[in-house]
Amino acid sequence: MARDPRDRPPVQDGMPHGDKRPDSLPSSRLGRLARLGALSTRALPLATEAMRRAAFGKRKNEDEEREAQKRVVENAKKTAEAMLKTLGDMKGLPLKLGQMASYIDGLAPPGYEEKFQEVLKKLQAKAPPLSPEAAIEVVTSELGAPEEVFGTWEAEPFAAASIGQVHRAETRAGDAVAVKVQYPRIDRAIENDLKSLSMLETMVAPIGRRYHSKETLDEIKAVFLAELDYRREAENAETFRRIHDGDDAIVIPRIFHSYSTRRVLTCELIGGVDYATFCKEASQEERNATSATMWRFMFRALFKHGWLYADPHPGNYRFLGDGRVAFLDFGCVKVMPPHLLEGTKRYITAAMDERWEDFERACIEELGYDPTDTEAFKLFIDYTKLILEPLLVDETYKHTHAVAREAVAYLVRGSKRIMKPKEGDVLPNLPKPIHLPQDQTFMNRLQWGLASVMAGIGGEGNWRRISEPWIRGPVVPAP
């Protein structure tokens, strides 16, 4: 949310200041579906080539193969650029998905991850903003005219994300602040995106009911709609500040509550460097210290208090030196029920102690894995061990992009193998559904996202030693 006051680019995403930008985003349901539909045609060449290679392998003629690879790489770049524009203009849930694809290893098309992520990284903190007038409209309706409410107000936003853009300002008392302003009618846009998802869920209901798709969608709806209330985000930030009180490496910007409302959030302006700069320039010592800070922030809150920070994407951090990290966005936060957190600790501690029978029993009872579906059960058990590895090994562990990518790929490969039609069958073999608790939906987002972010930082540490006291300790209410 708050960025370095020295980062004042003369252009915003290639757009000189003063060029006309839209005052609002497309918010009608049909309009948003039409834009996504147009984008899908860009993906067809990639999908077709991927299917051809899967079925027949490489072309026998080297010249044809070289030309095909050149064509596919160019299509990947064009597809990513089309996604950048379309998702950036749409904001809301489509932009959130684009942000996830920009940094979570394994979500982009295999073989084209670098091309996709190179382009989509622009969505992490500098999505295309709306016009200065759009922000003024919202601030005026919530607080009053910006030039009257604040001592100074910068009309040009210096950051833009999925549901709002951020402006520099000063309070009347002279405090430098970052003011996050919701896009006009973004609430309607997100509600229509969720209605479209609900329509899709209804269409697949005969199958979806077996896999609890409605319950998962309900959880997604609840969390994303809660993000629209910045007053809730302000309270989340205050709770995380109390959770980490005394840990000086964890910095949470001060909230100015008198300048904040449901659609405007004002906090202190934070310096430091962004994620890309840190990953490029930091020493190994700095990477190690910073990774430990990130780990403590995530898992002290989760395992000790049940507070899940569910949006670990790279635009949410500023790196301040000496291992200090500022955490900026507290909109996507999930408070886990105590019984579910105790169940999570149950299978993690069993794995730590290498009590594998107890681990499998805990996975059956806490995660809903079905031991009667032999292939699927083994897949899910092995996958769970894979993603828990940083918590299990009592030695130095380094996250890598290859390992983060494999966590997603392993699940996809295994699912495809299981779903392959049996001999003589035409329809795919659907595995028996697992009954994953609804509140677990956002755990995967943290697991995949944090693994990819930590891989980019490249720090090394004994993550088990940091986490184990909280995992084995009691769950206590957040202060």
Side-chain angles (χ1 to χ4, degrees), residues 238-248 250 252 300 479:
E238 299 290 12
T239 299
F240 272 86
R241 188 197 322 283
R242 292 191 296 271
I243 286 172
H244 298 294
D245 184 37
D247 191 333
D248 294 337
I250 294 174
I252 296 171
R300 178 189 287 124

Side-chain angles (χ1 to χ4, degrees), residues 1-3 99 103 124-125 161 180 233 251 253 275 294 297-298 309-319 325-332 445:
M1 183 165 51
R3 301 291 194 274
Q99 288 175 334
Y103 77 96
Q124 289 174 8
K180 184 161 70 169
E233 180 174 347
V251 177
Y275 177 81
M294 303 270 291
F297 172 83
M298 297 294 178
Y309 186 84
D311 192 10
H313 92 78
N316 289 344
Y317 318 110
R318 296 293 288 188
F319 299 88
V325 182
F327 298 85
L328 306 179
D329 192 308
F330 294 86
C332 192
R445 188 181 185 190

Side-chain angles (χ1 to χ4, degrees), residues 46-57:
L46 285 177
T48 301
E49 178 65 14
M51 291 174 65
R52 198 207 69 78
R53 286 172 180 265
F56 306 111

Side-chain angles (χ1 to χ4, degrees), residues 7 28 31 72 88 98 126 145 175 178 181 198 215 219 247 251 286 301 308 325 349 352 380 385 396 448 450:
D7 295 345
S28 75
V72 169
K126 293 185 179 180
D175 298 297
V181 183
S198 295
E215 289 80 0
E219 176 72 358
D247 191 333
V251 177
E286 187 71 17
L308 171 66
V325 182
T349 53
M352 283 178 162
F380 293 137
K385 291 178 183 178
T396 298
W448 293 351
L450 182 60

Side-chain angles (χ1 to χ4, degrees), residues 28 86 174 195 287 425:
S28 75
T86 301
K195 285 178 183 176
R287 293 173 192 273
D425 291 343

Side-chain angles (χ1 to χ4, degrees), residues 242-268:
R242 292 191 296 271
I243 286 172
H244 298 294
D245 184 37
D247 191 333
D248 294 337
I250 294 174
V251 177
I252 296 171
R254 172 190 168 199
I255 303 294
F256 288 76
H257 291 278
S258 61
Y259 288 89
S260 301
T261 69
R262 187 179 69 84
R263 296 196 296 161
V264 177
L265 180 60
T266 302
C267 75
E268 68 174 303

